[in-house]
């Protein structure tokens, strides 16, 4: 990574790192927001699944293979004209074990994604851009209190 790009990444990550270091709480999300709940995504070959518990206090708990990670997030309250919700997620804790892809999440890493919900509210796609050709999913809502 060149020096200029490193500086840009450092500047963009600074607010999230400062918030985590200061113990600041993420902004709350309305309880009726479609993202609130427990979601599961399974790898295409069925070998592994990830479970996300997304809470209205702006925190997420993720179980992926051997990894357990916690993050804070903010998400737009309403979708844009194309139906996408912008989400910014920052890892604040990780147990250092490998996830379904064999990776270890880096504390402080922040990512921006765009969520597109199925009309049923029980599925969504997570996209890297506001279009559906670069997405993960579907994430399926888990009913009840099971993780």
């Amino acid at each position: 990574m060149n020096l200029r790009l490193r500086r840009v990444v450092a500047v963009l990550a600074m607010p999230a790192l400062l918030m985590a270091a200061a113990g600041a709480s993420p902004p709350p999300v309305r309880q009726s927001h479609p993202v609130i709940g427990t979601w599961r995504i399974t790898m295409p070959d069925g070998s592994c699944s990830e479970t996300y518990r997304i809470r209205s206090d702006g925190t997420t708990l993720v179980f992926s293979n051997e990894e357990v990670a916690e993050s804070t997030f903010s998400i737009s309250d309403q979708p844009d004209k194309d139906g996408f919700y912008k989400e910014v997620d920052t890892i604040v804790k990780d147990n250092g074990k490998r996830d379904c892809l064999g990776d270890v999440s880096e504390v402080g890493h922040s990512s921006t994604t765009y969520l597109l919900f199925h009309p049923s509210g029980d599925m969504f796609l997570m996209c890297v851009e506001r279009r559906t050709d670069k997405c993960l999913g579907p994430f399926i809502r888990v009913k009840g209190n099971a993780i």
Side-chain angles (χ1 to χ4, degrees):
M1 190 181 317
N2 70 36
L3 184 57
R4 185 175 187 172
L5 184 57
R6 283 185 194 182
R7 286 183 184 155
V8 169
V9 169
V11 168
L12 292 175
M14 192 58 68
L17 293 173
L18 291 174
M19 187 171 99
S25 298
V29 179
R30 68 181 158 87
Q31 187 64 41
S32 62
H33 196 289
V35 78
I36 303 303
T38 303
W39 301 89
R40 182 168 293 130
I41 182 172
T42 301
M43 299 302 114
D45 66 1
S47 64
C48 191
S49 63
E50 298 181 344
T51 303
Y52 293 69
R53 177 162 280 175
I54 302 175
R55 305 177 188 120
S56 62
D57 67 356
T59 64
T60 303
L61 179 62
V62 179
F63 299 89
S64 176
N65 192 25
E66 295 181 343
E67 179 184 54
V68 179
E70 293 182 50
S71 64
T72 58
F73 73 96
S74 62
I75 189 167
S76 54
D77 188 61
Q78 298 295 322
D80 65 18
K81 66 179 178 56
D82 296 318
F84 290 93
Y85 290 84
K86 180 180 179 181
E87 182 199 31
V88 179
D89 185 270
T90 303
I91 305 292
V92 295
K93 287 185 185 178
D94 187 85
N95 67 352
K97 304 225 173 159
R98 299 207 179 274
D99 64 15
C100 285
L101 297 176
D103 298 328
V104 176
S105 296
E106 182 180 333
V107 172
H109 175 77
S110 184
S111 62
T112 299
T113 56
Y114 302 90
L115 308 185
L116 183 63
F117 286 84
H118 185 271
S120 70
D122 287 336
M123 293 188 290
F124 71 84
L125 295 176
M126 180 183 288
C127 308
V128 296
E129 297 177 11
R130 287 184 170 98
R131 45 189 241 224
T132 57
D133 62 334
K134 294 184 179 180
C135 301
L136 297 173
F139 288 75
I140 308 292
R141 186 180 296 278
V142 176
K143 303 289 186 183
N145 294 323
I147 287 192

